[in-house]
Amino acid sequence: MSEVRGTRSGAVRRAAPWLAFVAAAAVLPLLSGDPTITYLATTAGIYVLVGTGLNLMFGYTGQVSLGQGALVAVGAYTTGILMADHDWTFWAAAPVAVAVAVGAGTLMALPAFRLSSWYIALVTLGAAMAARSLLVEFEGLTGGWSGLTGIPRPALGPWELGERDILWLVLAVNVMLLVMVRTIVDSRLGRGMMAVRDAPEMAQSVGVAPARMKLFAFACGGGTAGLGGALLAVHHGLVTPDDFTLDFSILFLLVVIIGGAARLAGPIIGTLLFFALPELLTGLAEWRGLIYGAALLVLMVYAPQGIAGAWERLRARRQDSGPPSETFGTDIPVEAGPPRGKPLGVELIGVRKSFGGVRALQEIDLTIEPGTVHAIVGPNGSGKTTLLNVISRLLRQDGGRVILDAEDVSRAPAERLARRGVARVFQTPRLLGASSLRDNVLLGAYPRERAGGPATVLRLPWARREQAELAQEADRLLAGHGLAGRAEEQAASLPHGEQRLLEVARASMARPRLLLMDEPAAGLTPRELESLGRLIRAIRDSGTTVVLVEHHIELVASVADVVTVLDRGRLVTSGPPQEALGDARVVEVYLGAPA
Amino acid sequence: MGSSGDARMGCDRPMIADILVAGLVFGSLYGLVAVGFNVLHRPTNVVNFAQGELIMIGAMLMAATPIGGLPWGVAAACVMAIVAVVALVEERVAVTPVLRRSSHAVGWVITTLAFSLLLAEAAGRLWTDQPSTVVPPWPLSMRVQEVLGVRFSSYQVAVVIVAVAVVALLGVLDRSRLGTALRAVAADRDGARLRGVDPTALTRRSFLLGGALAGLTGVLAAPLLLASVTMGLGLLIKGFAALAVGGIGDNRGVLVAGWMLGVIEAAGAVFASPGSQSVVLFAAMLLILLIRPNGLRGLAVQRHV
């Protein structure tokens, strides 16, 4: 935790604007005698609620949902039917509404979760359309076009809640939800979500199962939409299909984008600007469609981070950025903890892989001994990276078997390997660009961190202790990689060489038993190369198997225990560096046939 | 699909024939929408959420004076040209700026959706929301004929033939030099640049072609559906469904998928209720995608690390 975040006074200072805002919203109905203001404020509060749920789906997990309005409808209708037709109390109906909406949200994501992200936009859009015709079709249950009327207000015993009380209820729910979302975002779960959004393959390589993460996000978004719908039903007292048009769904997306996706305050800013403002200035309401379209377009092109993002950037520019620190090549020993178990060996048996007509790997038989540095070299297009991808399970081989430490993993997904202790460094750094260096390193601990969803949200003491210990470990690792004191900086602002280091630090954070590195030396200076060599040897000596795909022959010669040479998808030779690199066939592969 | 009303008394042959005819005709439209997606998707990896509104504009132009008053061939050409220009505008303001920043992010979902909102809004202000009928060009007509118990009109036959012809023509284009360049850009935008292919120019050409195709789809759809400012969304979603089921990038696949979905939709209207059409269609799509996530033919592209 940073200086500001860690102390109690810092926490108060950070929370102050939020508290002031909530207080202002809460006293609004007392100050203004106008019931319309209270009514609008309650509606806006409900929109913030739904927007915050969508922020978790779209902002943090990167899933475009155009069906949020349909999920609100599910919540509203469930509440309406239970309260108006079956005389349930609000307190019993609302949880059911949430549960039904969670189910609907999960269902919506189910067919799409194996496909690319725009399918989810399509499926949710289709769901929004289908939901409306279902509402009309099941007239007996939903009242058809005229909807459900006579939904009573919530009551506590004999006391029925008034307009103001509902506003306060909505505010209280919002505060609780925001605290929950903040906790989730700062935890292992939040880092997993952002990894799915920014780099799905990297997410898998650190042990995040993208499909499960998306389902979780959709369940959360569905639940908040359902709760919003329940509140909307008792707030309006009636629900009709016309309340849930496609525009209604798009409004929420807009609210998140304009306010600032992946920013906690985003939905609040967005709601105030795009719901409250036109509602108060009646002349604007007529132009709403035009404003929606133009705003989405302009914002996405010029300010994809929204208003909250632009504000942050403005503040960051004003703050003095510290002097660039001494990078790569500091001689502090790297403080990676011991690996999580014995080093892992790999055995490939007859592995084949083709891309269309290109046979990238042809019948590869290869044994990687545990506890060694095993380098794989070969000219461009020889299948090195494909081989690494097959070992890490990001690609599925066409034929043959992959054995990891006596276990057949030929059909295992990448995230399962990460849990077994396999870590990966990518050829081009794959980072959480918008997150801090510390969060990027912490992501590496994903497979060994124990706190799951409930423990995180409930802020159980052991989970918080675990989080604090890991943060310290991450800071030590950052220091060990020459990034001391810069834990709060944004990963995207690092120069390329340091982004590489950050990747290595993230991989070390996993305390891997097998580390797969894809061309870590590319673009490094000679001095940086030297410390990279030391780093790799240190990692091996601590008891980790290292598989190194590399072009830089000097580095390979100095660190590798075994060198395997590939050419056009075939294994040329494999042996100690001197022997393998001196092989006549290898010279031929690299330099062409002797004249 | 108004012809289903009088044939409700059981599974006799004429009714099944009616379903097939309606399914093939509307399915051809859905297939054409999906082919339009493919044309734009090739060089950009963008799925154009404004495609439905482009088609709507095409149909509305066909229904409105002054273009609607011109001889059919001239009017159709004008409509295709105008929609192509609108698509080019979209490429300039909503696609290229986002792709320039990052070719991987999904910002284009939002921007093309925003463009579609703007088109719908503009159409709503330009034209009344009263649907209008458009008559097919001479010698075709919507008059129903009966041959061997199958009832259809000459215009319906023409629509199916045009859809097949478009897919065949695109197949020829695909095998040309241009097609190869397009595939190169699709595989690796920056890599193609190094090999002397200009992705921006190709993107522009694809949007012109895709826009013209959207215009043509609108022209074809106008006599079948009533031309209205709200017709875009339905076509967009049904086209999407055909695209997802047929498999993205596969023109023949999406046309067949369009026919399939058209038949399912027509059957849903007869056997369930006309109001549940879209629900039946959507459920069918989800079911097919659950079983075959990469579409019927499953020509999936594997991503590289």
Side-chain angles (χ1 to χ4, degrees):
Chain A
M1 309 287 115
S2 74
E3 295 83 342
V4 181
R5 211 194 273 186
T7 62
R8 187 153 293 247
S9 68
V12 172
R13 211 178 323 144
R14 274 167 54 87
W18 294 90
L19 290 173
F21 183 78
V22 171
V27 298
L28 196 64
L30 299 178
L31 295 178
S32 156
D34 190 353
T36 336
I37 295 285
T38 312
Y39 186 85
L40 276 181
T42 310
T43 313
I46 294 172
Y47 286 7
V48 170
L49 186 71
V50 179
T52 302
L54 180 61
N55 198 15
L56 214 52
M57 295 158 82
F58 170 71
Y60 291 103
T61 321
Q63 305 302 306
V64 182
S65 165
L66 297 173
Q68 217 60 7
L71 293 174
V72 176
V74 167
Y77 268 91
T78 309
T79 312
I81 291 168
L82 289 177
M83 288 181 73
D85 297 347
H86 298 277
D87 296 323
W88 285 39
T89 66
F90 176 74
W91 317 110
V96 176
V98 170
V100 174
V102 165
T106 318
L107 211 62
M108 216 153 78
L110 210 51
F113 78 91
R114 288 170 65 183
L115 306 160
S116 41
S117 47
W118 66 265
Y119 270 89
I120 291 199
L122 149 68
V123 170
T124 52
L125 185 67
M129 258 186 85
R132 243 182 124 216
S133 45
L134 278 179
L135 286 182
V136 181
E137 194 73 5
F138 288 98
E139 210 170 332
L141 201 60
T142 62
W145 282 114
S146 47
L148 291 171
T149 50
I151 303 166
R153 290 262 169 79
L156 282 172
W159 174 57
E160 191 178 76
L161 268 62
E163 282 277 354
R164 280 181 203 168
D165 306 313
I166 293 187
L167 172 61
W168 288 329
L169 176 66
V170 168
L171 281 177
V173 171
N174 261 316
V175 170
M176 279 194 295
L177 183 72
L178 279 169
V179 170
M180 257 162 73
V181 170
R182 217 204 97 173
T183 314
I184 289 178
V185 166
D186 279 345
S187 76
R188 167 181 187 260
L189 278 174
R191 289 188 286 273
M193 285 175 165
M194 289 183 258
V196 169
R197 177 193 65 191
D198 291 348
E201 283 102 355
M202 181 272 279
Q204 282 183 288
S205 78
V206 297
V208 181
R212 281 180 55 187
M213 219 34 141
K214 289 179 195 172
L215 277 184
F216 174 72
F218 264 83
C220 290
T224 46
L227 187 56
L231 290 165
L232 206 61
V234 292
H235 172 48
H236 284 172
L238 81 166
V239 284
T240 64
D242 280 335
D243 295 338
F244 307 104
T245 57
L246 182 64
D247 277 357
F248 186 63
S249 288
I250 291 175
L251 169 75
F252 292 115
L253 199 60
L254 186 72
V255 152
V256 172
I257 290 174
I258 188 174
R263 306 294 196 287
L264 276 185
I268 301 177
I269 299 173
T271 303
L272 288 181
L273 260 167
F274 265 80
F275 169 71
L277 212 57
E279 201 68 46
L280 293 173
L281 310 172
T282 39
L284 279 180
E286 189 194 335
W287 295 93
R288 191 170 270 176
L290 213 58
I291 298 174
Y292 282 10
L296 273 177
L297 194 58
V298 170
L299 274 168
M300 228 33 222
V301 174
Y302 294 105
Q305 304 304 325
I307 291 177
W311 169 248
E312 269 171 33
R313 208 174 318 155
L314 209 69
R315 273 184 36 170
R317 202 175 299 165
R318 247 187 290 155
Q319 275 168 7
D320 197 23
S321 54
S325 67
E326 182 69 0
T327 61
F328 229 133
T330 44
D331 293 307
I332 309 167
V334 176
E335 285 223 24
R340 278 182 289 151
K342 292 196 315 284
L344 293 172
V346 181
E347 201 182 343
L348 301 179
I349 305 166
V351 168
R352 282 178 289 119
K353 179 76 200 172
S354 305
F355 298 104
V358 182
R359 296 163 77 183
L361 294 176
Q362 306 179 39
E363 300 292 335
I364 299 285
D365 293 305
L366 179 65
T367 303
I368 294 164
E369 295 292 341
T372 58
V373 174
H374 194 122
I376 296 169
V377 301
N380 282 329
S382 58
K384 305 184 299 289
T385 298
T386 306
L387 187 69
L388 214 55
N389 283 340
V390 167
I391 295 176
S392 60
R393 310 306 311 145
L394 288 171
L395 280 180
R396 177 168 286 187
Q397 72 280 15
D398 299 333
R401 293 195 299 152
V402 181
I403 314 283
L404 182 76
D405 193 30
E407 186 198 352
D408 191 335
V409 292
S410 305
R411 308 186 122 305
E415 55 266 26
R416 206 169 85 216
L417 259 70
R419 289 198 285 274
R420 291 281 318 270
V422 179
R424 166 92 187 245
V425 174
F426 288 91
Q427 191 170 357
T428 45
R430 307 218 166 178
L431 301 166
L432 306 177
S435 297
S436 67
L437 303 194
R438 182 188 293 120
D439 278 342
N440 269 284
V441 177
L442 277 172
L443 182 60
Y446 189 92
R448 65 190 178 94
E449 212 174 329
R450 287 176 308 138
T456 306
V457 171
L458 295 174
R459 311 179 76 140
L460 296 181
W462 68 262
R464 299 181 68 176
R465 208 160 41 237
E466 181 185 42
Q467 179 115 348
E469 280 167 14
L470 286 173
Q472 278 177 8
E473 197 179 325
D475 284 359
R476 281 201 303 275
L477 264 175
L478 279 171
H481 287 79
L483 294 165
R486 297 170 65 184
E488 296 293 325
E489 281 178 34
Q490 232 190 18
S493 64
L494 288 185
H496 183 77
E498 290 179 343
Q499 292 196 350
R500 283 248 134 112
L501 275 180
L502 191 57
E503 279 242 325
V504 178
R506 182 182 69 212
S508 308
M509 187 70 188
R511 300 203 188 160
R513 301 160 67 190
L514 168 64
L515 177 61
L516 309 170
M517 302 177 102
D518 197 355
E519 299 198 20
L524 297 190
T525 63
R527 188 156 160 246
E528 289 172 337
L529 269 177
E530 209 175 287
S531 42
L532 179 68
R534 270 203 306 278
L535 193 62
I536 293 174
R537 278 191 296 267
I539 291 172
R540 178 203 51 204
D541 292 343
S542 73
T544 302
T545 314
V546 179
V547 178
L548 179 69
V549 163
E550 190 47 75
H551 269 307
H552 204 283
I553 295 303
E554 280 166 45
L555 177 75
V556 168
S558 72
V559 302
D561 299 309
V562 184
V563 175
T564 293
V565 185
L566 289 184
D567 182 35
R568 276 166 289 178
R570 286 182 194 284
L571 200 146
V572 178
T573 179
S574 191
Q578 262 41 29
E579 227 171 87
L581 294 174
D583 192 299
R585 285 170 300 178
V586 176
V587 176
E588 188 187 316
V589 162
Y590 268 96
L591 302 175
Chain B
M1 266 151 284
S3 57
S4 58
D6 48 329
R8 275 210 172 213
M9 44 303 221
C11 284
D12 51 355
R13 249 182 43 143
M15 196 185 68
I16 290 177
D18 282 348
I19 290 175
L20 286 178
V21 169
L24 277 183
V25 172
F26 287 95
S28 297
L29 285 185
Y30 307 155
L32 277 179
V33 181
V35 169
F37 284 135
N38 274 341
V39 168
L40 300 190
H41 182 267
R42 257 294 156 74
T44 54
N45 288 329
V46 162
V47 176
N48 180 19
F49 277 67
Q51 195 77 2
E53 304 304 334
L54 290 178
I55 293 167
M56 177 273 289
I57 298 226
M60 287 307 288
L61 284 172
M62 215 44 199
T65 46
I67 292 173
L70 297 171
W72 191 87
V74 182
C78 284
V79 168
M80 285 169 70
I82 293 173
V83 179
V85 170
V86 175
L88 194 64
V89 172
E90 180 188 5
E91 184 264 334
R92 294 278 91 185
V93 304
V95 176
T96 302
V98 184
L99 288 186
R100 197 179 294 138
R101 204 174 51 231
S102 159
S103 54
H104 298 295
V106 287
W108 52 262
V109 173
I110 312 286
T111 51
T112 57
L113 185 75
F115 195 79
S116 121
L117 287 181
L118 288 177
L119 286 183
E121 191 69 21
R125 274 161 205 278
L126 213 57
W127 295 300
T128 60
D129 47 7
Q130 208 59 254
S132 42
T133 46
V134 176
V135 283
W138 188 89
L140 301 172
S141 81
M142 295 295 287
R143 211 180 50 245
V144 176
Q145 296 159 338
E146 190 165 329
V147 177
L148 298 172
V150 182
R151 290 178 296 173
F152 56 87
S153 70
S154 54
Y155 185 68
Q156 288 178 318
V157 177
V159 167
V160 179
I161 292 176
V162 171
V164 174
V166 165
V167 169
L169 271 176
L170 286 173
V172 174
L173 186 71
D174 204 33
R175 282 186 290 276
S176 70
R177 225 174 99 85
L178 182 65
T180 314
L182 281 171
R183 276 197 298 280
V185 174
D188 186 349
R189 216 174 158 77
D190 297 323
R193 208 189 293 273
L194 295 176
R195 285 166 185 79
V197 179
D198 179 1
T200 322
L202 273 184
T203 304
R204 222 174 297 148
R205 259 193 267 177
S206 293
F207 266 81
L208 275 174
L209 180 61
L213 197 54
L216 177 68
T217 312
V219 167
L220 288 177
L224 289 171
L225 310 160
L226 291 174
S228 81
V229 290
T230 52
M231 68 192 285
L233 186 62
L235 281 174
L236 175 81
I237 293 185
K238 289 164 188 173
F240 262 144
L243 182 73
V245 170
I248 197 156
D250 179 356
N251 285 334
R252 271 180 290 176
V254 298
L255 184 60
V256 172
W259 287 336
M260 245 175 71
L261 293 171
V263 170
I264 291 173
E265 185 190 41
V270 172
F271 294 115
S273 77
S276 62
Q277 264 184 27
S278 63
V279 180
V280 170
L281 189 77
F282 188 63
M285 183 196 82
L286 289 191
L287 203 67
I288 296 171
L289 283 185
L290 267 180
I291 301 164
R292 296 200 60 95
N294 291 312
L296 286 176
R297 295 216 287 181
L299 306 176
V301 190
Q302 228 162 354
R303 278 187 296 177
H304 299 251
V305 178

